[in-house]
Every structure is written in C-alpha cells, then in structure tokens.
Amino acid sequence: MIALGPWSNDLLSKLNCKLPMAYERGYRQHFSSTTEQPLSRPVHDVDGSYVLTPMEQGYRITSGVELKERDAPPSPNQLEAVIPSARQAFPLGQPLDKPWLGRRPTLPDALPAIGEVKQCPGLWLATGHHHIGFSTGPATGQLIAQLMSEQDTDIAPQAFSPNRFF
Ligand SMILES: Cc1cc2nc3c(=O)[nH]c(=O)nc-3n(C[C@H](O)[C@H](O)[C@H](O)COP(=O)(O)OP(=O)(O)OC[C@H]3O[C@@H](n4cnc5c(N)ncnc54)[C@H](O)[C@@H]3O)c2cc1C
C-alpha cells in the first residue's frame, strides 16, 4: 500500500500508475510576542489574508495556497506580504524560525484515492488528502483496512476509488 502523501508519485511512476496530483504548498512562521498579555485564540483577518494562532512555539502566522511544483525552491512571498499587516494589529516580535514549507497532495476532484488499483492487483492506495488529511486520515485508515480485509465498509468507497484515474 502506498500512503506517501505528496511523494506517492515517486513510487507510482515506477509502476506506470502515476496519479494526476498537484501540490498546494503552504507556509508558516512563528514570532515572539511583545506583550505579556498573549492572544487567547486564533484569528483570521479576512482583509489582511492571514491566520494568526497562539502556539507554544509563539505566534504562528500562515499563508494562503501556493500552486507550484512540489520541489520548487521555497518562495514565501505571501507570508512576507501579510506580516506588515499582522504587525499593525498584533504584538508580533522577532521571528523565532525560518518560514516552514509544507505540500498538500491534491487530486483534480479534491477527493483522496483510497482502494486497490485494478490494473495493478495487490497495489493499494491511500493518498491525495489535500487540505484535510489530519482530519480525514483516521477514516481513511478504517476504510482501507475494511477494504483490504473484505469487510463491509462504514463509508461508501466508490467515490474514492483510484480507478477513476486509470
Ligand atoms: C500548510 C499545511 C496545512 C495543513 N492544514 C491542515 C489542517 O488544518 N487540517 C487537516 O486535516 N489537514 C491539514 N493539512 C493536510 C495534511 O497535512 C495532509 O492531508 C496529510 O498530512 C496527508 O497525510 P498522509 O499520511 O497522506 O501524507 P503525509 O502526512 O505527507 O505523510 C507522507 C509520509 O511519507 C514519507 N515518505 C516520503 N517518501 C518516502 C519514502 N520513499 N520512504 C518512506 N517514507 C517516505 C514522508 O516523510 C511523510 O512522513 C495541511 C497541510 C499543509 C501542507
């Protein structure tokens, strides 16, 4: 079973079963606080186009989506663009780390690929969870286990079949 998120095609391309996967990249960076009265909740500044979240690591500021090749060099332009605006509204101090870059593995219909590949019997996929893999991973784990052990499934599996791409 291949469950390699954004790296799934590295292996699938060797098996001639490449998925039409795109990469929605996102950045985050942590900042110290300049006040002893810390922010108590996450804030989404819609006009400013950022989310600021108080974390143990400091104030975390996150960017929007960047559509680019998976391994293209980091370009945290969106993050750099919103930091001045966040500084006007919140007590952001110094950066505590460099911008972190993550990649979301996204398929054209925004559904994951979960199940056995017909053209390659014995090859199972659980990948392509785009923005919501933390939340939906447990359901995927349960579904793939039920499919592999030929049990009734709690979720209808058809919409997630990898065979929609092959
Ligand atoms: C910026 C950002 C914000 C996100 N926010 C949320 C959110 O708020 N809520 C939410 O539900 N989801 C969120 N996600 C999405 C979530 O992170 C993914 O959907 C989820 O991580 C996918 O899980 P996965 O196990 O399929 O892949 P991954 O978590 O990417 O795991 C794949 C693993 O495969 C490993 N790997 C790669 N190649 C090899 C190899 N050759 N051999 C062995 N191992 C290998 C990698 O090291 C990695 O550990 C976010 C993603 C990003 C990037």
Side-chain angles (χ1 to χ4, degrees):
M1 191 183 76
I2 295 182
L4 293 174
W7 296 275
S8 298
N9 271 339
D10 291 359
L11 205 48
L12 286 171
S13 53
K14 293 180 183 159
L15 303 168
N16 285 329
C17 288
K18 208 170 160 195
L19 288 166
M21 186 177 279
Y23 305 98
E24 295 187 69
R25 310 200 320 171
Y27 297 85
R28 67 158 198 239
Q29 190 171 17
H30 296 100
F31 290 81
S32 63
S33 171
T34 56
T35 164
E36 284 176 16
Q37 198 92 59
L39 191 64
S40 59
R41 65 180 72 83
V43 176
H44 180 192
D45 181 339
V46 177
D47 290 337
S49 302
Y50 63 87
V51 174
L52 187 77
T53 308
M55 309 288 290
E56 283 178 10
Q57 300 101 309
Y59 286 136
R60 174 180 292 179
I61 188 159
T62 51
S63 75
V65 166
E66 179 190 51
L67 291 171
K68 254 198 180 163
E69 286 303 313
R70 185 190 68 192
D71 297 329
S75 47
N77 310 336
Q78 290 184 30
L79 210 50
E80 287 161 8
V82 298
I83 287 167
S85 158
R87 278 196 190 286
Q88 284 177 359
F90 297 100
L92 293 190
Q94 294 304 309
L96 298 170
D97 49 20
K98 290 192 175 150
W100 171 85
L101 162 62
R103 289 111 174 139
R104 301 176 184 90
T106 300
L107 297 171
D109 53 7
L111 293 176
I114 308 168
E116 188 174 21
V117 179
K118 250 197 215 146
Q119 72 182 54
C120 230
L123 172 64
W124 294 76
L125 303 185
T127 187
H129 291 82
H130 62 102
H131 287 242
I132 56 167
F134 285 145
S135 330
T136 57
T140 294
Q142 186 178 40
L143 178 58
I144 197 94
Q146 289 170 336
L147 288 170
M148 291 179 94
S149 55
E150 298 181 358
Q151 292 173 29
D152 290 340
T153 58
D154 292 308
I155 305 170
Q158 292 80 2
F160 306 112
S161 167
N163 299 308
R164 67 195 194 273
F165 299 117
F166 302 121

